[in-house]
């Protein structure tokens, strides 16, 4: 009878362990944040800043060097030069021509503004995607730990009751040993954070920020130029992309450039733990803030264009 009771304790404990440690079978393989189609912008900004400023002296009375670089970034430099050249023409044809140029310039500015907003939206979506799955894993882990805690308490209580009720000293020791091992095992299992899930991102918006290639296949030429041009950073010593990279290296990876975590975050995806998903969401949020801050440069340039006589 007592052996059957011991077996019952073992059965209950194992059942609780199994129910608390069930594996996650679902996987997120397709990113719903990826754009349905890619818009190709044929305009490529000039990268030689010194030469650019040297050959646009005719615009210097109207625009700062920062605004001239913005004109280069947005592809509106030619429109501005034509507007300045034709401002002395007071004929009807001249006015119509200037109105046409301003309309094309505004259309170009609208395009780059939507580029910033659409890319920010993709980053926001990717961040929420990672956060949601991380929260799901956290909730499953918390639920599992609750079950393991209850199971450990239950096994401990049953072990105590059985050792008191059983008269045989040998059987008491056996039940106590089995119960102690199971209770300890259940308690130790609650410390294991092994829940993982497949998380893929074939279009990885973080990859080029980390690798810093000369040309990006993810970012538009306009955004990529602004991220790399040091004139658009606060201290004007290095590009925004380099500042982001250095912050990630120091704060997120503790100076480690080639760890497995980097391969996971900046590759095409893989098996993620909750903490990895939280890290990815943090990096995406930081990047999104930097991309959105470019709107301030664009706003300054638009105001300068509106001040043209």
């Amino acid at each position: 009878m007592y052996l059957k009771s011991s077996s019952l304790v073992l059965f209950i404990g194992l059942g609780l362990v199994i129910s608390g440690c069930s594996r996650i079978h679902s996987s997120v393989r397709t990113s719903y944040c990826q754009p349905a189609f890619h818009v190709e912008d044929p305009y490529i900004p000039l990268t030689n800043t010194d030469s650019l400023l040297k050959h646009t002296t005719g615009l210097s009375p109207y625009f700062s060097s920062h605004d001239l670089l913005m004109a280069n970034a947005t592809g509106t430099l030619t429109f501005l030069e034509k507007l300045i050249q034709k401002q002395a023409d007071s004929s009807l044809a001249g006015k119509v021509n200037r109105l046409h140029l301003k309309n094309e310039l505004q259309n170009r500015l609208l395009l780059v503004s939507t580029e910033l907003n659409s890319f920010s939206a993709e980053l926001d979506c990717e961040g929420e995607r990672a956060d949601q799955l991380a929260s799901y894993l956290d909730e499953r882990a918390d639920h599992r730990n609750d079950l393991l805690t209850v199971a450990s308490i239950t096994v401990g209580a049953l072990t105590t009751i059985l050792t008191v009720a059983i008269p045989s000293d040998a059987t008491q020791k056996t039940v106590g040993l089995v119960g102690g091992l199971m209770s300890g095992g259940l308690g130790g299992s609650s410390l294991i954070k092994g829940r993982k899930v497949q998380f893929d991102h074939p279009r990885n918006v973080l990859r080029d920020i980390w690798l810093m290639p000369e040309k990006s296949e993810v970012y538009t030429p306009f955004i990529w130029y602004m991220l790399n041009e040091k004139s658009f950073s606060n201290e004007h010593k290095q590009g925004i992309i380099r500042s982001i990279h250095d912050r990630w290296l120091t704060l997120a990876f503790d100076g480690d450039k080639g760890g497995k975590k980097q391969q996971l975050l900046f590759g095409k995806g893989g098996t993620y733990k909750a903490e990895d998903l939280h890290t990815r969401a943090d990096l995406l949020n930081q990047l999104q803030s930097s991309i959105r801050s470019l709107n301030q440069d664009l706003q300054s340039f638009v105001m300068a264009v509106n001040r043209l006589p």
Side-chain angles (χ1 to χ4, degrees):
M1 175 180 178
Y2 296 125
L3 290 177
K4 289 182 178 180
S5 299
S6 301
S7 300
L8 179 62
V9 173
L10 179 62
F11 178 79
I12 293 174
L14 287 176
L16 289 170
V17 172
I18 293 172
S19 64
C21 299
S22 58
R23 302 290 295 176
I24 299 175
H25 296 288
S26 61
S27 62
V28 182
R29 296 186 177 276
T30 304
S31 173
Y32 50 81
C33 303
Q34 183 172 335
F37 58 91
H38 179 66
V39 179
E40 188 70 32
D41 188 349
Y43 175 75
I44 306 295
L46 302 174
T47 56
N48 192 332
T49 302
D50 294 335
S51 176
L52 171 69
L53 296 176
K54 181 179 179 181
H55 289 85
T56 54
T57 53
L59 296 175
S60 298
Y62 308 95
F63 298 97
S64 66
S65 58
H66 175 272
D67 291 332
L68 290 176
L69 293 177
M70 278 300 303
N72 176 48
T74 57
T76 57
L77 198 58
T78 302
F79 297 123
L80 294 178
E81 290 174 335
K82 290 180 179 179
L83 278 172
I84 298 302
Q85 292 171 1
K86 298 180 181 297
Q87 66 177 346
D89 188 355
S90 59
S91 66
L92 178 61
K95 293 179 180 179
V96 171
N97 195 5
R98 286 198 300 274
L99 182 62
H100 176 69
L101 287 172
K102 286 184 177 180
N103 185 54
E104 289 191 7
L105 189 150
Q106 293 297 336
N107 287 337
R108 183 68 196 175
L109 292 179
L110 177 62
L111 173 62
V112 297
S113 178
T114 56
E115 283 183 19
L116 285 176
N117 292 332
S118 62
F119 200 82
S120 295
E122 182 181 354
L123 293 174
D124 185 47
C125 180
E126 284 288 354
E128 289 295 327
R129 177 181 173 230
D131 254 339
Q132 287 176 356
L133 193 54
S135 297
Y136 169 76
L137 292 181
D138 287 337
E139 290 175 2
R140 291 292 300 271
D142 290 341
H143 178 66
R144 169 181 174 272
N145 289 343
D146 290 342
L147 289 175
L148 288 171
T149 301
V150 172
S152 178
I153 294 173
T154 302
V155 170
L158 288 175
T159 300
T160 301
I161 294 172
L162 289 174
T163 53
V164 172
I166 296 174
S168 172
D169 183 63
T171 307
Q172 283 182 352
K173 291 180 179 180
T174 301
V175 172
L177 177 62
V178 173
L181 289 174
M182 288 187 59
S183 181
L186 290 168
S189 297
S190 66
L191 300 176
I192 300 175
K193 299 180 180 180
R195 287 197 176 277
K196 300 177 182 180
V197 67
Q198 182 69 24
F199 188 81
D200 296 333
H201 33 73
R203 173 184 160 90
N204 194 341
V205 292
L206 299 177
R207 179 180 177 83
D208 285 352
I209 301 297
W210 184 250
L211 298 180
M212 295 184 294
E214 183 176 347
K215 180 181 179 181
S216 174
E217 296 182 359
V218 176
Y219 295 77
T220 64
F222 161 64
I223 296 177
W224 194 242
Y225 170 76
M226 292 196 68
L227 289 176
N228 282 276
E229 173 55 53
K230 63 182 180 180
S231 298
F232 297 122
S233 63
N234 292 334
E235 298 181 352
H236 307 297
K237 294 181 179 179
Q238 61 183 10
I240 296 174
I241 184 175
R242 169 59 69 176
S243 298
I244 297 173
H245 177 278
D246 291 348
R247 287 199 302 270
W248 288 358
L249 181 62
T250 302
L251 301 177
F253 305 118
D254 198 24
D256 184 8
K257 293 184 177 181
K260 292 183 179 180
K261 194 170 186 177
Q262 287 87 317
Q263 296 176 13
L264 178 67
L265 292 169
F266 304 124
K268 294 185 177 181
T271 304
Y272 273 79
K273 294 185 291 185
E275 62 182 81
D276 297 326
L277 289 167
H278 283 305
T279 299
R280 180 171 177 81
D282 289 341
L283 299 184
L284 287 164
N285 290 335
Q286 294 171 28
L287 179 57
Q288 182 188 17
S289 298
S290 297
I291 295 294
R292 283 181 170 174
S293 69
L294 299 180
N295 278 297
Q296 297 174 351
D297 299 274
L298 183 59
Q299 182 183 23
S300 172
F301 177 60
V302 171
M303 293 176 64
V305 171
N306 291 335
R307 287 195 297 266
L308 280 176

